[in-house]
Amino acid sequence: MELKDLSYLLVVRETAHLGNAAQALGITQPALTKCIQRLEKSCATRLILRVGRGIKLTEAGLLLCERAQKMLHLMQATRQDLSALGSGAAGVIRLGVAATAAEFLLPHLTRELLQRAPTVVLEVQIGLNDLLQSRLRENRLDLILGFLPEENPEFVTRPLTEDPVVVAASSLHPLAGVHPTPAQLDQFQWLLPSPQAATRQWLEQRLRSGGYAPPRVQMESNTLSPLRQVLAQTQLLSFLSRRLLHEEMTQYALVEIPLPLVRMPRTFGWQFRSLSELTPAARLLVDLAEKRWQW
């Protein structure tokens, strides 16, 4: 049973006349008659009856038209959905995001994505780079939007924007505006991520190389961004993205402690297994980010 034959039958029902239906379809009446005969042979029953100069559908013909209309509508919707998936205008994106990227990059990117592809579904997981890379390796994520490791041949990396990490504290902290000596810095406790975090390991190594004591950690957290109010109301030091200190971007009164030795250069961007593995929707997301930040 051909979909084309079914669509022709619907026109026959509308016109109630084979000649008029053939003219509306742009085919000959004998060709339309053969179409109806093919359908009747397939269904093993009569579909139309001649009534005077016109025709009427049998009960079987009416039932077939009802089902054909549903099938043709479903096929049209399927073609549209497949086209949307192919263009990236639909689908699901499993996205891993670093906390800082979730706060400063993801809002702009989500707005642009949903303007271009309003039916795309984003499944977002926020976490540290090691956890997100593990999930990407296990094919539980399509992409990671976060800071890029210096060397990682395992994944494709695409840089987007710089995001240095600096020593930060309350604007009322005794070290605010001071380039601290090792003795001055050692007077204060720290709020830092776990010892497995790459940023903490880098900080500790740099402090040791500059003759400073290891940070005395009083508070640990798997993410620091939500704890800025803790810094603002205590004398703890921390190691944060400089973006988190900008007054126009945060309500918390935090400042950078001027210590160039431990100003960590960092680049935010994409990580994924291979471009060929990305769905059209995921490739659209990558393209939108690269056009916006233009590394």
Side-chain angles (χ1 to χ4, degrees), residues 5-252:
D5 290 348
L6 292 173
S7 67
Y8 286 0
L9 180 63
L10 293 177
V11 178
V12 170
R13 182 189 64 175
E14 291 171 7
T15 60
H17 192 281
L18 286 177
N20 292 341
Q23 186 176 4
L25 292 167
I27 62 175
T28 65
Q29 185 170 331
L32 181 57
T33 299
K34 287 183 179 179
C35 158
I36 300 300
Q37 290 172 346
R38 283 196 299 270
L39 286 174
E40 290 182 332
K41 183 177 180 181
S42 176
C43 297
T45 186
R46 294 291 300 275
L47 299 176
I48 65 171
L49 296 173
R50 293 188 180 275
V51 179
R53 294 186 177 181
I55 60 97
K56 74 172 186 179
L57 270 66
T58 64
E59 187 176 357
L62 290 171
L63 176 62
L64 183 58
C65 280
E66 180 186 344
R67 301 289 173 85
Q69 200 159 32
K70 293 178 180 178
M71 284 189 286
L72 291 168
H73 176 74
L74 180 60
M75 285 303 301
Q76 182 181 9
T78 300
R79 289 190 188 99
Q80 292 173 345
D81 290 345
L82 290 172
S83 176
L85 284 169
S87 66
V92 177
I93 305 174
R94 301 171 302 167
L95 180 63
V97 190
T100 305
E103 187 163 357
F104 295 107
L105 304 184
L106 190 59
H108 305 290
L109 193 53
T110 302
R111 183 183 66 247
E112 294 183 14
L113 175 68
L114 296 184
Q115 287 173 350
R116 287 280 300 274
T119 62
V120 163
V121 175
L122 275 172
E123 296 180 353
V124 178
Q125 300 180 35
I126 299 175
L128 295 176
N129 211 37
D130 291 346
L131 173 63
L132 297 178
Q133 285 181 336
S134 174
R135 292 179 177 174
L136 180 62
R137 193 175 296 114
E138 296 167 358
N139 196 27
R140 294 163 63 188
L141 289 175
D142 300 313
L143 291 160
I144 296 174
L145 180 62
F147 78 87
L148 301 180
E150 293 183 5
E151 293 184 7
N152 187 5
E154 184 179 5
F155 302 122
V156 177
T157 58
R158 296 278 190 90
L160 292 173
T161 184
E162 291 294 339
D163 181 60
V165 186
V166 298
V167 178
S170 164
S171 59
L172 302 178
H173 196 282
L175 295 183
V178 176
H179 187 302
T181 64
Q184 289 174 316
L185 194 68
D186 195 40
Q187 294 178 31
F188 300 97
Q189 308 270 39
W190 291 74
L191 161 60
L192 290 176
S194 70
Q196 291 74 37
T199 50
R200 176 166 169 180
Q201 293 174 3
W202 188 93
L203 171 69
E204 292 177 346
Q205 188 276 328
R206 294 289 288 182
L207 286 173
R208 285 195 300 270
S209 68
Y212 288 79
R216 294 185 292 118
V217 180
Q218 190 164 28
M219 188 173 181
E220 282 187 1
S221 174
N222 63 337
T223 179
L224 301 182
S225 178
L227 299 179
R228 284 173 284 171
Q229 187 66 14
V230 172
L231 285 182
Q233 297 188 27
T234 67
Q235 291 192 357
L236 293 174
L237 300 169
S238 193
F239 199 47
L240 297 176
S241 163
R242 185 182 278 163
R243 292 174 184 268
L244 297 174
L245 311 184
H246 294 174
E247 292 184 3
E248 69 272 18
M249 303 179 93
T250 178
Q251 60 179 320
Y252 309 126

